[in-house]
Amino acid sequence: MARSPAFLFDLDGTLVDSVYQHVLAWKRALENASIPLSVWRIHRRIGMSGGLFITALARELGCTISDEDLRRIQSDHSQAYAELVAGVRPLPGANALIAYLTDHGIPWAIATSGRRSLTALTLRALDLPPDAPVITRDDVEHAKPDPDLFLAAAARLGMPIGDCLVVGDSVWDILASRRASTLGIGLLSGGYGLEELQSAGAYRVYEDPADLLHHLDEVGVRP
Amino acid sequence: MARSPAFLFDLDGTLVDSVYQHVLAWKRALENASIPLSVWRIHRRIGMSGGLFITALARELGCTISDEDLRRIQSDHSQAYAELVAGVRPLPGANALIAYLTDHGIPWAIATSGRRSLTALTLRALDLPPDAPVITRDDVEHAKPDPDLFLAAAARLGMPIGDCLVVGDSVWDILASRRASTLGIGLLSGGYGLEELQSAGAYRVYEDPADLLHHLDEVGVRP
């Protein structure tokens, strides 16, 4: 990494303050399916593939969930999230960080486990150029913690994955970065604890995009 | 501690799954006061004294908050929480744990940083005897992380504080237990990470009340 690395950003909890809206939306969807799940357990699954989330959950609860139930829960989550998305705000420094990278010719992309339709709603909270490179669940076979989303984002930028830094708030982002053989930077802004992200293998952990912008020199961006 | 210790329980995030409702209620109250605060920062303050929370926040944001603003924010939080409290559920094992202790003559009490009026709403989610010992913010001068609430709860039980275990989900509970010179048991059910509670000095950490009930022998309760 002689020149500046490129940046592959997760979206929810990393650039926008939307994790708790997703938590509530999953809670409603699971209650509709008579699946009582403590909220903290939902929180710790946000950011991973929705299908994996529900499958893992069913295994933990010792029950089976039919394909039809799975589809209905995911559809109920989407509907509930769409009702809550108006309350979603950009995280501090998110727009400034994106603008800084753009102004300095440093490539960046967004790679999210969310579906394209919900992602479009969430992206309204940010000031992005219309041609912003965004990879969603619809573009890959497997979402996080598989590396596909970040690999697709690097390919979209035309960059080797090893020249890209992954930035995410969840353990699933950091695990996916390691599966992709590149470095992951953790942000606390999604509600995970510092040590959880460090234990998952984060190269560095910052509070939020503003804090990362303030310390870009630590991750290889030269002024 | 030759005989079984007594148990001093925090309420929100420890016995009931109400932390995220409090997070949302604070978010609304702060937005009403034009104070934009990321949700994870609110989450990490839940369980500490509401007055301290807002004062600490004002200091971090570099602004001053008048006494009138402080009262309005707290009142807005109470109103918003009251609207959300119908969605609050007991945490897995909470009622079973309380019933086990009661059946075995092991003293227990609840000690919460919440006001008596809001606490009464939250307690409806639990199956408690009408004479359950509950200490609230109204009973002491200083709430957590000061030790007053837990000291008052021990006094209510007529037990030396050193014969009591504190059980809580937040760093503020664990810090208050140490200020009170007794052991604190952390629960993950409020959304903090394992290592955060360990770093704060938790004696042991369990997932939720069900997990604690399953491991009572580890904390000095003999069958």
Side-chain angles (χ1 to χ4, degrees), chain A residues 113-125:
Chain A
S113 286
R115 290 275 170 197
R116 191 176 297 142
S117 53
L118 280 197
T119 300
L121 298 179
T122 303
L123 287 174
R124 289 185 198 159

Side-chain angles (χ1 to χ4, degrees), chain B residues 9 23 43 49 76 97 103 124 185 197:
Chain B
F9 293 104
V23 168
H43 187 175
S49 148
D76 285 355
L97 175 60
D103 292 349
R124 289 185 198 159
I185 295 173
L197 297 171

